[in-house]
Amino acid sequence: MNLVRQIRKAAVLGSGVMGSGIAAHLANIGIPTYLLDIVPRELSEDEKKLGLSLEDKTVRNRISLSSIQKLLKQKPAPLTSKSKLALIEAGNFEDDLEKLSSVDWIIEVVVENLHVKREIFTKVDQYRKQGSIISSNTSGISIEAMADGRSSDFQKHFLGTHFFNPPRYLKLLEVIPTKSTDPEVLLFMKQFGEDILGKGVVEAKDTPNFIANRIGTYGLLVTVQEMLKGGYSIGEVDSITGPIIGRPKSATFRTLDVVGLDTFAHVAKNVYEQVDGKEKDVFQIPDFVTKMIEKGWLGSKSGQGFFLKKGKEILELDSQTLDYGPRKKLKTASTEMSKQAKGFSNKMKALIYSDDRAGQLLWNILTPMLTYSAQQLGEIADDIVAIDQAMKWGFGWSKGPFETWDAIGIEKSVTKLEQEGVHVPKWVKEMLGNGFTHFYKENERGETLYFHLGEYKQLIENPKAINLEKMKKQKGIIKKNSGATLIDIGDGVALLEFTSQNNAIGLDIIQMINFAIEEVAANYKGLVIGNQGKNFCVGANIALMLMEAQDDNIFELDMVITQFQKAMLKIKYSSKPVVVAPFNMTLGGGAEVCLPASRIQASMETYMGLVEAGVGLIPGGGGAKELYYKTLKSLPKGVGFDLQQVANKVFEMVATAKVSTSGEEASENNFLNFADGISVNSDHLIYDAKQAVLALYEQGYTAPVKTKIPVVGESGYATLLLGAESMRLTGYISEHDMVIAKKLAFVLAGGRVPFGTEVDEQYLLNLEKEAFLSLISMPKSQQRMQHMLLKGKPLRN
């Protein structure tokens, strides 16, 4: 990072959904931000009732103030914590432009109109300080045209920064320099975007819709047109353009419903008005979509679009009649063959080279997108990597266009395309003619090479983006079993990767935890526990536990819980530092692995909670004990505190199976403390955890000393139950919830001892295990476990 330049304060101009979302993301990472918008010209009815005038500050700032308040209600939440709202200050374009002189970055997010944007930038140029960065979040208006006529210093510090909505969650940030943008400013914004904003940054050229929306909109429109041509239904198309081809579950038409048909039409029109020939024809919105927009059927925001939810049933639109009917799915021989095939390449080949309806549709929608991406190389981006990354980060594709082309086989597909009379871009044919048969390949060191201007070039990746699959090839595997792998990740640090289904914890993972702690104690500086799966860990293997419980194998379950508890204590009292790197779902046993670690380095998107009550249990691996102890340790030393309040807080957290909505909220819930870290960029999580291990080692890390834990005892147990009993009497919790609550309260209270008694960890672990085994033996708890396995959601019985 360029330490000479820093962004300490920002201003966002325009407080609509996108502008307020960007302000929220800046607040999430701790940057104080002004959010400015226009001054209202009329009083609202509420303002009239309050006797306010157009000169009152609350009226003049009404639009931005309203947008700030809406951030608390939006789903998914734009803020990682409600406390972050304090970092956003409302203002307006008439009274507060002088505040721009105090900020380091000004982001324009006003209406998509060149004239309006240029008017705003004329004012910005008057008030900004020399050297501050200015950018536009436009989704397609020319960046060069916006900067025309501005001062030299403005033009040097101006560029496009196109966020994708919602800014907190979508990874892509397209950075678009002008001819006048200072190269140092461009480099800084790319580094800042990746390291501080946590984005996947792609440099795009100043062309209509830049990279992702250009390719993505083309692909969506080709799909709609092919659906009409081939007589497919909307549901049939969505059933084979989602996960089966490496795309999100929202596939094609559900994606359009989420985006909004009006937004989609605007983006398509932006390209349509600036291109010619066959390309122009593709970007023309089909008539039936125009009719939908006229009817106000804009998708999710209007309650209906390509799909309509009636009760529990989801209906699909008939594109010919505009009536809704039952949703259809396309099931053919090739879709079944694809399910059986191993690996993305084999799955895609099974589909795309088939002559059945699914194969024909996919060939007719994917190959135009591939050849179009190749045609646009050089116009929208300098290399194939930028295009692939933009589509993966912006649209959630698992593979970009050129990676997809590699997967189906370039030579075979080009032969078929030319037989059909399709024009294949000249550079692709020359590439094949010169013996280059892949866009990407790996060298013997596991480094990625990509084809560029007649040769393979090494893909230069940020050293913070550690790839565990490549690390295994480069450094080798120390040891592995069916559930976990121990890897050398360099600099004297090992990493334990969970590899079981859903990373669920079973005996295989417990065995590898024990081995890893011993191996690290003897030969390494420390250990990271992390992985790069879909989720960090969704908990213990419920299916195996239920099977044992139904077979009445309590002795077997007792042994497993004992082994799990011992493994957690090994993590806690390891002689070398252990840093756990959780992300996404970190539930039940996953949270229990984190709590005893020397440090937690969580992703900003970490959804952590002890959720065992949802399946009729309480934590069995020391989770309740460790959360209680961590909450106690977070209290200031030398300051009096109420032990009962601590017990109450932890009891409520575990009894209600509360899950954090972010790493920040996990900290507020005491799963993380002041020493733990949060990584904004998920790609840097393993690197950050590794650095935490090395820092602890260099500081002369020693294992914590075993201490006794004060508990609230019998009187505290009665207090804990009072709250639960009132919830039961009001119908908020069921009878079985009350049974679980009693077991949990007994554990947290420390059993039948006087208030304030100090007990050792093993005593509390024994109470946890006893309560866990008692609950898992009960039919109602087993019903909850069964329901979770079958339905994927809790049962309230």
Side-chain angles (χ1 to χ4, degrees), residues 778-788 795 797:
M778 296 179 182
K780 285 196 173 181
S781 285
Q782 291 177 15
Q783 286 167 16
R784 289 191 178 196
M785 295 168 76
Q786 185 91 37
H787 191 269
M788 179 61 76
L795 170 69
N797 60 346

Side-chain angles (χ1 to χ4, degrees), residues 11 134 177 245 538 558 639 723 744:
I134 321 101
I245 60 167
V538 295
D558 189 318
V639 178
L744 175 63

Side-chain angles (χ1 to χ4, degrees), residues 299-546:
S300 302
K301 60 186 171 187
S302 66
Q304 70 184 100
F306 293 109
F307 294 101
L308 173 67
K309 190 171 183 181
K310 276 203 170 180
K312 291 186 177 180
E313 190 181 9
I314 296 173
L315 305 175
E316 66 171 67
L317 184 77
D318 184 314
S319 59
Q320 302 299 317
T321 64
L322 295 190
D323 293 325
Y324 289 94
R327 189 163 49 164
K328 303 182 188 76
K329 286 187 178 180
L330 193 56
K331 192 175 179 181
T332 67
S334 68
T335 60
E336 295 308 300
M337 280 172 58
S338 176
K339 288 176 188 173
Q340 305 305 317
K342 300 291 183 187
F344 181 75
S345 179
N346 290 327
K347 287 178 181 292
M348 289 299 292
K349 286 172 181 173
L351 286 164
I352 206 160
Y353 293 117
S354 164
D355 280 333
D356 62 26
R357 286 189 81 225
Q360 288 170 6
L361 176 62
L362 287 174
W363 175 265
N364 290 338
I365 63 179
L366 284 178
T367 54
M369 184 271 297
L370 301 181
T371 55
Y372 184 70
S373 299
Q375 285 163 5
Q376 298 308 311
L377 185 66
E379 183 189 341
I380 63 173
D382 284 329
D383 55 55
I384 64 171
V385 176
I387 294 175
D388 278 348
Q389 288 178 333
M391 298 318 299
K392 290 191 288 185
W393 291 335
F395 277 71
W397 296 4
S398 67
K399 304 286 182 187
F402 296 98
E403 291 170 318
T404 300
W405 210 339
D406 269 346
I408 66 169
I410 307 172
E411 291 176 289
K412 184 175 180 179
S413 61
V414 166
T415 300
K416 186 176 177 184
L417 284 166
E418 292 195 311
Q419 287 170 354
E420 294 174 348
V422 174
H423 171 72
V424 176
K426 184 182 175 184
W427 74 266
V428 176
K429 291 164 69 174
E430 287 177 352
M431 181 185 94
L432 291 173
N434 291 328
F436 299 102
T437 57
H438 293 85
F439 292 116
Y440 294 92
K441 68 175 188 175
E442 278 191 0
N443 63 19
E444 62 281 356
R445 294 186 299 278
E447 296 163 337
T448 300
L449 308 176
Y450 67 98
F451 184 79
H452 185 67
L453 300 177
E455 62 179 348
Y456 284 114
K457 292 183 69 174
Q458 186 183 337
L459 178 61
I460 306 300
E461 296 176 278
N462 190 324
K464 293 181 181 179
I466 292 174
N467 182 306
L468 293 181
E469 289 306 311
K470 287 184 181 177
M471 197 61 73
K472 289 174 196 174
K473 292 175 186 174
Q474 290 167 3
K475 297 277 184 184
I477 290 169
I478 302 166
K479 186 175 180 179
K480 70 179 291 186
N481 67 14
S482 57
T485 305
L486 188 63
I487 311 161
D488 183 336
I489 58 171
D491 301 314
V493 180
L495 178 137
L496 182 62
E497 175 192 33
F498 296 170
T499 56
S500 61
Q501 189 171 0
N502 294 323
N503 293 339
I505 297 170
L507 278 172
D508 45 8
I509 285 179
I510 294 170
Q511 287 164 3
M512 281 298 289
I513 290 172
N514 291 329
F515 173 81
I517 299 295
E518 289 168 12
E519 176 68 15
V520 166
N523 300 308
Y524 290 84
K525 293 178 180 177
L527 176 70
V528 172
I529 300 180
N531 64 75
Q532 292 175 330
K534 185 180 176 185
N535 297 296
F536 173 72
C537 176
V538 295
N541 190 324
I542 300 177
L544 284 177
M545 288 198 303
L546 177 62

